[in-house]
Amino acid sequence: MDRLDAMTVFLCVVEAGSLSAAGRKLGMPLATVSRKLSELEAHLNARLLNRSTRKLDLTDAGRGYVEACKRILGDVEAAERAAAGEYEKPQGDLVITAPLALGRLHVLPVIDEFLHDYPDVDVRLVLGDRISRLIDEHVDLAVRIGPLPDSRLVAVGIGALRRVVCASPTYLAAHGSPRKPADLTTHRCITFDALASADEWSFTTGSTQTRVTVHSRLVVNTAEAAVDAAVAGLGLTRVLSYQAEPARRAQQLAVVLEKFEPGPTPVNLVFDGQQRIALKLRAFLDFAAPRLRAGLSGSN
């Protein structure tokens, strides 16, 4: 039995929640996944999982073994990286995740420059608004918007973003520009549902937060759709400042209610601080952080 392989299969089963899901993720037949688990349990002389038709539950022995497997496999991966020379010069694969629009508008141009200057590093950029688990998903670096919970991760601040309300000049000319949040009750609104409720938006007056009831004629699940609808004159929308910036610069959108905006939302580069930092990651942090700070400051 290959114990490292068996540990990898065991961890995948735990993270995927079922043997069949782990098999799909690993590209391995269900019977093979089941056999490897059984062999591992026989080798340990301990049951790691209680299996039923509905779900898998870790046993007490399994809970302790999960943490040991993560540590051991992490050490093996670090040793392989060191042997491959990742700690001698910047080289190898670098996996980065970022939110969709922020990644496309700000992160990708920086990566293009980085790849030109570091020919021995290859980058895999994963764009999506789902929060990736860096350690479990083998992600080297994530760009995160919003406050970060306490964890083993290290954060490098690269800026902050405003939540802006904007509309097309044509819409504002026809319907008037709101001067205070309460004026929104008479306007048509477009809500990006990852950023605001379809029924009410929050604002700040001094140290007081107020909520205003809005009528969302359209609710969308991407910022790009919200911006496009606002440019088309459908109504007022609320997005993050960088999401509206290209249309604002093109004079397709105008920002309103600026003095009532909530506090800015932080943006960070996040990575695992418990392991030695590979030179490819250190090189990217040093290269990208000042450029991203400059780019984001221009979006506000």
Side-chain angles (χ1 to χ4, degrees):
M1 178 188 68
D2 184 332
R3 275 188 280 176
L4 292 179
D5 181 51
M7 287 179 179
T8 301
V9 171
F10 170 59
L11 276 183
C12 189
V13 169
V14 172
E15 291 165 2
S18 72
L19 274 67
S20 57
R24 289 192 295 271
K25 186 174 181 180
L26 294 168
M28 186 179 293
L30 175 60
T32 304
V33 174
S34 180
R35 175 177 56 80
K36 287 180 180 290
L37 275 180
S38 296
E39 290 176 350
L40 181 61
E41 290 179 326
H43 172 75
L44 297 171
N45 194 28
R47 179 172 290 280
L48 301 174
L49 293 165
N50 290 319
R51 310 177 200 182
S52 70
T53 56
R54 290 189 175 183
K55 63 177 181 177
L56 297 175
D57 289 317
L58 283 166
T59 63
D60 289 341
R63 278 189 286 272
Y65 196 63
V66 161
E67 297 307 316
C69 287
K70 288 180 180 179
R71 184 175 64 254
I72 291 167
L73 292 174
D75 289 344
V76 170
E77 183 178 1
E80 289 175 343
R81 288 179 173 180
E86 283 192 4
Y87 299 107
E88 296 177 2
K89 69 174 184 176
Q91 65 178 15
D93 296 330
L94 188 65
V95 181
I96 300 170
T97 69
L100 280 167
L102 184 65
R104 180 174 57 84
L105 294 173
H106 289 277
V107 180
L108 184 57
V110 172
I111 289 176
D112 290 343
E113 294 181 51
F114 177 79
L115 291 175
H116 182 268
D117 287 3
Y118 290 87
D120 294 326
V121 179
D122 297 325
V123 174
R124 179 175 174 236
L125 176 62
V126 180
L127 297 179
D129 294 326
R130 180 182 70 86
I131 300 297
S132 299
R133 296 182 297 176
L134 272 65
I135 299 166
D136 294 340
E137 298 181 31
H138 305 290
V139 173
D140 296 296
L141 183 72
V143 182
R144 295 269 175 86
I145 300 173
L148 297 171
D150 293 334
S151 70
R152 62 182 284 184
L153 303 178
V154 175
V156 176
I158 55 172
L161 299 170
R162 295 160 49 208
R163 283 173 283 176
V164 300
V165 176
C166 50
S168 71
T170 302
Y171 175 87
L172 295 175
H175 300 275
S177 181
R179 298 184 179 277
K180 58 185 183 298
D183 294 344
L184 292 177
T185 57
T186 63
H187 281 270
R188 301 184 311 210
C189 293
I190 306 155
T191 294
F192 170 33
D193 64 4
L195 196 63
S197 160
D199 301 316
E200 59 180 25
W201 294 356
S202 62
F203 294 88
T204 301
T205 305
S207 59
T208 303
Q209 186 180 68
T210 59
R211 295 184 179 276
V212 176
T213 300
V214 297
H215 178 201
S216 293
R217 294 296 313 280
L218 176 66
V219 180
V220 295
N221 66 346
T222 69
E224 292 89 341
V227 168
D228 288 346
V231 168
L234 187 59
L236 291 144
T237 193
R238 166 173 267 180
V239 292
L240 292 172
S241 51
Y242 78 91
Q243 294 163 339
E245 183 61 16
R248 191 191 66 79
R249 287 186 177 178
Q251 298 184 340
Q252 295 173 311
L253 289 179
V255 176
V256 298
L257 300 175
E258 291 182 76
K259 66 180 180 179
F260 300 103
E261 291 171 4
T265 301
V267 186
N268 294 282
L269 300 177
V270 181
F271 60 95
D272 180 10
Q274 300 299 308
Q275 299 186 23
R276 184 181 177 190
I277 301 177
L279 286 183
K280 62 182 180 181
L281 177 55
R282 173 51 60 195
F284 185 80
L285 286 168
D286 293 342
F287 184 94
R291 289 168 171 80
L292 290 171
R293 287 190 190 103
L296 291 176
S297 67
S299 297
N300 285 312

